[in-house]
């Protein structure tokens, strides 16, 4: 399949720096736990955390949605849980792309049930086209209306994650 660059790496880098600055300022004096949703988030997560100027802890969570093809079924299960206890902590969930919102909604609710002080969300891409669950994205990198995106960690069938740019799959 062909790919076409939508967001060049340079623009991603600049936006990630801005997000990191904003987050560092909002959480000044605190030590949030940043929780990355595997696998697509890895490059974004690493770049974001390294660009921040405040201390933080990091952990990862992974959810699987049992549906067909590119569609999320809504039947979501946690297949890898975090290891840091988040009770009484400020939690920032970091996601690569929010599509239907089902995954993020499930994860945020699961984390809220553990008594954190706060739970906020940072997503690199907010793709509104197929939103089913309302989710609040406190820090958003880019808004995209439609299309299937790959690169900078995002995959199609485990391909294209390695591309430095965010591309549209043609
Ligand atoms: P949601 O539960 O429908 O919001 O789906 C979120 C997950 O679906 C993301 O974490 C991605 O793994 C995957 N996903 C949704 N849209 C895309 C896309 O355009 N490219 C790559 N993965 C996507």
């Amino acid at each position: 399949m062909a790919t076409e660059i939508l967001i060049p790496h340079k623009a991603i880098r600049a936006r990630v720096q801005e997000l990191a600055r904003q987050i560092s300022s909002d959480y000044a004096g605190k030590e949030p736990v940043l929780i990355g949703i595997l696998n697509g988030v890895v490059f974004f997560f690493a770049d974001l955390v390294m660009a921040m100027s405040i201390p933080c802890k990091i952990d990862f969570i992974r959810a699987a949605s049992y549906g067909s093809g590119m569609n999320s079924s809504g039947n979501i299960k946690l297949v890898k849980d975090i290891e840091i206890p988040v009770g009484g902590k400020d939690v920032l969930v970091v996601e690569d792309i929010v599509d239907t919102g089902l995954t993020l909604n499930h994860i945020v609710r699961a984390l809220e049930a553990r008594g954190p002080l706060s739970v906020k969300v940072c997503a690199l891409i907010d793709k509104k086209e197929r939103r089913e669950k309302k989710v609040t994205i406190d820090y958003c990198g880019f808004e995209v209306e439609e299309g299937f995106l790959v690169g900078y960690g995002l995959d199609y069938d485990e391909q294209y994650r390695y591309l430095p740019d965010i591309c549209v799959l043609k």
Side-chain angles (χ1 to χ4, degrees):
M1 261 181 270
T3 60
E4 188 180 288
I5 296 177
L6 179 68
I7 310 169
H9 188 76
K10 207 173 157 191
I12 302 172
R13 213 167 45 211
R15 186 70 187 118
V16 172
Q17 299 286 328
E18 285 174 3
L19 289 173
R21 258 199 303 275
Q22 184 66 52
I23 292 167
S24 302
S25 152
D26 292 354
Y27 286 89
K30 300 177 179 171
E31 188 176 323
V33 181
L34 269 68
I35 300 179
I37 305 180
L38 295 171
N39 291 342
V41 83
V42 288
F43 302 149
F44 173 46
F45 192 83
D47 287 347
L48 181 73
V49 169
M50 285 190 289
M52 281 169 48
S53 57
I54 55 162
C56 67
K57 290 189 172 139
I58 64 168
D59 206 341
F60 296 93
I61 199 164
R62 183 161 160 77
S65 154
Y66 299 97
S68 57
M70 288 186 191
N71 295 317
S72 199
S73 66
N75 184 10
I76 293 161
K77 282 194 182 134
L78 291 187
V79 293
K80 187 235 172 281
D81 204 348
I82 50 168
E83 288 162 46
I84 297 176
V86 293
K89 303 275 172 60
D90 291 301
V91 169
L92 181 61
V93 180
V94 185
E95 168 71 306
D96 50 4
I97 183 164
V98 184
D99 184 13
T100 63
L102 293 168
T103 307
L104 194 55
N105 182 264
H106 184 91
I107 287 176
V108 166
R109 282 194 306 168
L111 293 171
E112 277 172 349
R114 300 173 190 185
L117 201 56
S118 67
V119 179
K120 285 190 174 181
V121 170
C122 173
L124 178 63
I125 298 163
D126 181 0
K127 192 169 77 172
K128 299 175 178 295
E129 184 191 14
R130 304 196 298 179
R131 190 65 37 84
E132 287 178 34
K133 280 272 180 199
K134 191 181 177 306
V135 284
T136 304
I137 301 175
D138 302 279
Y139 304 96
C140 175
F142 301 95
E143 289 187 10
V144 172
E145 281 309 316
E146 56 186 4
F148 198 82
L149 310 183
V150 294
Y152 195 60
L154 296 170
D155 78 307
Y156 171 67
D157 204 13
E158 293 305 327
Q159 300 173 82
Y160 307 112
R161 287 197 200 275
Y162 54 85
L163 296 174
D165 311 302
I166 294 173
C167 304
V168 185
L169 200 60
K170 293 283 176 186

